[in-house]
Amino acid sequence: MKDAFRELLDKRFGMFIHYGVYSAYAGSRNGREILGNGEWIMFHERIPIADYEAFGRENFKPSPDFAKFIVEGAKKAGIKFLVITTKHHDGFCLFKSEASDYNAYTWLGRDLIKELADECHKEGIGLGLYYSHTLDWHEKNAAGNQFLYNNGTGKAPSNCGRRNSWDFPDDNIDYAEYFYSKCLPQVKELASNYGKVDIMWFDYPRDITKEQAFELRAAIKALQPDCQINSRIAHGAGDYISLGDNSLPVAPTGANTECLITLNNTWGFKAQDHNWKAPSQTTDILCRTLSADSTLLLNVGPKVDGSLTPETHAILEKMGE
């Protein structure tokens, strides 16, 4: 009998989706283009939580057809599964949560992950859920503990662990409080409320202990036994290896491996980023991935309404051909 990752690997081609409040900023603030990736705008600009939330409430307005936009785009390219950011590092959740009211259901009365999960299940597209399990710029006790970033002076640097040090300058961070009050409960919600989940995808591990990583794994497997967990959960608690961003293997690795590639330079939507890969290039990347016995997760950054850019559509359509 095939193991669960081999079944996933046989699908070969997935879509990564970075979507959230940062999509409404579209890479600019106050008429000025920001440096760095669009989804990191809150961190790069040191935007206070109150300002970020006020902007999001006013400007983050997904279309009623947001889930159809994404699934239709995936099907055009022959994509077999997708992975969406249910909560990125800004801490805002696209799903209904009892653990935090900083979510789309509270703002909009919509569980965007349920909408997408329903569309995926209807259209036969596998469902993967990204969750930022250590970084969370909305929470004081999210990752960035001093003990991992001690610079020899006994004091953590101001950007310690890439946490929110502008709203929370105190370095006395209790990651365990965040883990048990928000992270673990929300991961259980994601594994419970959306039918079959093929992948739980974690990112940017900081401060999580080995015991906590395996507690997270056990909670997922108890609810979704066949769900595959990527290596960025940390401490060897994953089922397969996610390579570094925009990295490709040059030969078969001998391990279950996934490649993450963006269509342009950023992951979340950035209106000024026009450095699009040609369809021939993305098709070559897919072929190189397959040659290395790996799977490709090709990233798209939807616009604020959830629709894909014309350039994204053109690339996906040509890859499908």
Side-chain angles (χ1 to χ4, degrees), residues 8-166:
L8 175 64
L9 191 65
D10 285 345
K11 295 180 179 179
R12 294 293 188 176
F13 188 16
M15 176 186 279
F16 210 5
I17 303 143
H18 278 69
Y19 184 57
V21 171
Y22 45 84
S23 307
Y25 280 97
S28 295
R29 187 179 183 218
N30 300 325
R32 175 178 54 83
E33 179 183 356
I34 61 105
L35 299 176
N37 291 344
E39 72 281 1
W40 279 72
I41 189 170
M42 183 180 180
F43 180 83
H44 290 315
E45 290 289 296
R46 303 296 197 265
I47 302 174
I49 289 170
D51 293 354
Y52 193 82
E53 180 171 349
F55 179 88
R57 284 183 178 273
E58 182 176 351
N59 295 282
F60 183 63
K61 301 185 184 300
S63 164
D65 293 323
F66 127 86
K68 290 183 179 178
F69 291 153
I70 290 172
V71 172
E72 286 175 358
K75 291 181 72 175
K76 283 180 182 177
I79 283 169
K80 305 300 184 184
F81 66 96
L82 55 79
V83 177
I84 186 168
T85 51
T86 70
K87 178 181 80 74
H88 203 260
H89 309 325
D90 61 358
F92 180 72
C93 305
L94 301 185
F95 59 98
K96 183 179 181 180
S97 177
E98 300 299 324
S100 170
D101 62 3
Y102 192 50
N103 65 68
Y105 190 83
T106 301
W107 287 12
L108 306 168
R110 295 173 61 187
D111 186 330
L112 300 176
I113 297 305
K114 185 176 189 312
E115 293 175 20
L116 185 60
D118 289 348
E119 190 70 16
C120 285
H121 295 322
K122 184 178 78 172
E123 296 295 332
I125 299 292
L127 178 66
L129 303 178
Y130 169 117
Y131 184 87
S132 178
H133 63 320
T134 62
L135 295 189
D136 187 323
W137 301 321
H138 192 259
E139 306 295 335
K140 177 183 186 296
N141 286 312
N145 280 359
Q146 180 170 318
F147 68 82
L148 281 187
Y149 295 90
N150 194 307
N151 59 5
T153 66
K155 181 175 175 59
S158 60
N159 68 343
C160 175
R162 297 189 178 271
R163 69 175 181 87
N164 180 345
S165 58
W166 54 99

Side-chain angles (χ1 to χ4, degrees), residues 258-297:
E258 164 192 79
C259 309
L260 328 168
I261 304 292
T262 60
L263 287 183
N264 48 3
N265 290 337
T266 188
W267 299 81
F269 176 58
K270 192 173 182 180
Q272 307 89 348
D273 181 1
H274 302 297
N275 190 27
W276 298 97
K277 293 176 175 64
S280 58
Q281 184 180 3
T282 54
T283 303
D284 179 65
I285 287 169
L286 177 59
C287 292
R288 289 179 61 188
T289 303
L290 302 184
S291 298
D293 197 30
S294 300
T295 189
L296 175 63
L297 201 54

